[in-house]
Amino acid sequence: MTIQRSYNLPNCTLIVEGLSEATFSAESDVRPLISILVNAECHLAATTQPLVGGRDFFESLVTAVSTYAQEFLSKVHHPDAHKPRLVQLQKVNDNRHRLIVQPEISGEGLHADSHSNGVRQIDLTTVQLFDLVEAVDQFFADRQTLPDLSLQLMPVSKRYTSSGQQLTKQAVPATVGVSSLALAAIAFFFVPIPEVQRPVQPRPQSSSSHSGHLAIGNNDSDQYLANSTPHNFLEKTLYDDC
Amino acid sequence: MQLDSSPVQPLPLILDSLPNPAIEERTCPRRTRSQIDLILLAIEALELGGSEAILALAQELELQEIIKNRVNLWRMRSTNPLRKAHTRRPLSLIEAKALVVITCYLARRLTVVIRQLLLAYQQMRDKQIPLEQNLRLSNYLERFRAHFRSRMNPRRSGVIAINSNEKLDELALSLLEQLLFCTGTAGMQRFWISLFDGEVE
């Protein structure tokens, strides 16, 4: 006999149906542990047909939703959120988030919405997205249901962010500058000493060697101005001189 | 763990669910400091008597050893580099955690208001109706703009970049959406971790 648990939000209901591995569950066990998933359903207000699937689908759904939520919060690119998966979320614009669901191999119970090969695309508003995230988080918090699936949160490393990439871009002119300095030094080495008796002053090096140096000052960089959107202006202007 | 000069005391349990991020410094990066201050600003724009509410809640949650009084709170928030009163005082991880906990508790109290405002925003945007026509939304945006302009340094390029009404409204709405996520079951952890995206090794 399977056990069903549901996590209800105004725009999303998540239903997990499973089995308990325990051979003896006491009569007084109000909430037995579900350790095996038989079926999962995700009912969204944004669409009439629920998303249905097994373990692979469900695991992919909760992972994709959780990672996308973090990306949404910080506006920092999460490489994990963009890996090809059974379930993916993509940003359409500030208020539209596209849930894309590939068919599981068994493919049962899925009706194609707008695509013939069983791939489903559902657009969610931000509030609807939140309800989906919250349903998933309530599932994660329920330690009596598939406890091996739990909330895993880690901040994204700086090397994956655009500021990390910008640091790389700025380092390139620095290396070019340093190389040209080296070349200039070598070139000057071969310049013949003038014949006049007065001492030779070393020639001033070109200032281009400092072109790549990161500007570090008291104020934020002036590089990013009116075209920045509010959330990534913070990224770009605030920790550029870290 | 960084503690100030007071005798070592066990940290309030409520902070335990927020892990320390793997950053080199034991204090908060600039983006973190700025985000925390701005989201508190959004709360103040939602609810009058914001800073009193923050202090009262600090008391209630037994965080008053960390957020001692109004001046102490103001100093923490002034670690936001955009502020007129910006100081080079660091914001410790413990202080940041306390502020995040308070943010999320306050957000939860305001769940209904936050959802209503975002639903209104969504509908008006879909129908292409100017946001000013919704009184509650327009009040929130106006208060946010006023708070922002009165506290942030207009000479900083980061402030100049968004000092138009339109850009400030975008920021206010983005913060409102983040506040919605703060109301969730895992909102506190999610928001906390997101503050360090792109800041850790």
Side-chain angles (χ1 to χ4, degrees), chain A residues 117-178:
Chain A
N117 58 356
V119 177
R120 295 199 49 195
Q121 281 192 14
I122 301 156
D123 282 4
L124 304 172
T125 62
T126 299
V127 176
Q128 289 170 341
L129 169 70
F130 169 71
D131 282 355
L132 173 57
V133 172
E134 176 59 11
V136 166
D137 283 347
Q138 287 183 13
F139 156 73
F140 280 142
D142 182 359
R143 304 316 297 143
Q144 292 295 103
T145 309
L146 307 176
D148 58 317
L149 290 177
S150 60
L151 184 66
Q152 305 283 341
L153 295 176
M154 289 283 286
V156 170
S157 164
K158 59 173 86 162
R159 75 185 101 101
Y160 294 118
T161 64
S162 58
S163 70
Q165 288 164 17
Q166 279 165 12
L167 281 172
T168 314
K169 283 179 194 157
Q170 283 167 320
V172 169
T175 24
V176 167
V178 166

Side-chain angles (χ1 to χ4, degrees), chain A residues 58-167:
Chain A
F58 187 67
E59 201 168 328
S60 184
L61 174 71
V62 300
T63 307
V65 166
S66 187
T67 318
Y68 186 80
Q70 292 309 109
E71 192 175 68
F72 175 78
L73 272 173
S74 65
K75 309 289 189 277
V76 171
H77 177 82
H78 276 58
D80 258 4
H82 302 272
K83 286 182 181 163
R85 284 199 173 95
L86 219 51
V87 179
Q88 280 180 281
L89 268 158
Q90 283 173 8
K91 180 175 168 172
V92 175
N93 59 44
D94 282 345
N95 197 39
R96 279 294 183 276
H97 316 276
R98 184 161 291 161
L99 188 62
I100 302 168
V101 186
Q102 308 289 337
E104 264 182 319
I105 294 171
S106 59
E108 51 191 304
L110 288 174
H111 294 260
D113 257 336
S114 50
H115 296 261
S116 54
N117 58 356
V119 177
R120 295 199 49 195
Q121 281 192 14
I122 301 156
D123 282 4
L124 304 172
T125 62
T126 299
V127 176
Q128 289 170 341
L129 169 70
F130 169 71
D131 282 355
L132 173 57
V133 172
E134 176 59 11
V136 166
D137 283 347
Q138 287 183 13
F139 156 73
F140 280 142
D142 182 359
R143 304 316 297 143
Q144 292 295 103
T145 309
L146 307 176
D148 58 317
L149 290 177
S150 60
L151 184 66
Q152 305 283 341
L153 295 176
M154 289 283 286
V156 170
S157 164
K158 59 173 86 162
R159 75 185 101 101
Y160 294 118
T161 64
S162 58
S163 70
Q165 288 164 17
Q166 279 165 12
L167 281 172

Side-chain angles (χ1 to χ4, degrees), chain A residues 14-61:
Chain A
L14 210 53
I15 300 173
V16 173
E17 193 179 341
L19 295 167
S20 174
E21 267 187 291
T23 47
F24 297 105
S25 49
E27 289 299 323
S28 60
D29 260 0
V30 178
R31 284 188 104 240
L33 179 74
I34 296 179
S35 49
I36 300 164
L37 180 74
V38 167
N39 189 53
E41 287 180 19
C42 179
H43 296 249
L44 295 164
T47 183
T48 47
Q49 289 290 334
L51 303 168
V52 181
R55 174 78 191 204
D56 287 345
F57 156 73
F58 187 67
E59 201 168 328
S60 184
L61 174 71

Side-chain angles (χ1 to χ4, degrees), chain B residues 5 11 15-16 20 78 83 132 179:
Chain B
S5 55
L11 288 175
L15 304 184
D16 273 0
N20 287 344
S78 298
R83 282 249 187 176
E132 301 81 58
L179 278 173

Side-chain angles (χ1 to χ4, degrees), chain A residues 66 70 74 78 95 125 130-131 134 137 155-158 161 218 220-222 226 230 233-234 238-239 241, chain B residues 30-31 34-35 88 115 122 126 156-158 167 170 180-181 183-186 190 194 197-201:
Chain A
S66 187
Q70 292 309 109
S74 65
H78 276 58
N95 197 39
T125 62
F130 169 71
D131 282 355
E134 176 59 11
D137 283 347
V156 170
S157 164
K158 59 173 86 162
T161 64
N218 289 328
D220 300 328
S221 160
D222 277 328
F233 100 90
L234 283 173
L238 293 189
Y239 52 78
D241 54 3
Chain B
R30 300 176 73 175
R31 187 176 82 82
S34 180
Q35 269 301 114
R88 291 197 173 269
R115 277 188 84 98
Q122 194 179 290
D126 287 347
R156 296 198 81 108
S157 57
K167 291 245 154 94
E170 265 182 60
L180 178 65
F181 279 71
T183 66
T185 297
R190 287 194 178 279
S194 78
D197 275 345
E199 306 292 339
V200 299
E201 296 305 321

Side-chain angles (χ1 to χ4, degrees), chain B residues 20-34:
Chain B
N20 287 344
I23 48 175
E24 283 171 17
E25 314 279 319
R26 301 299 284 164
T27 61
C28 294
R30 300 176 73 175
R31 187 176 82 82
T32 310
R33 290 182 256 137
S34 180

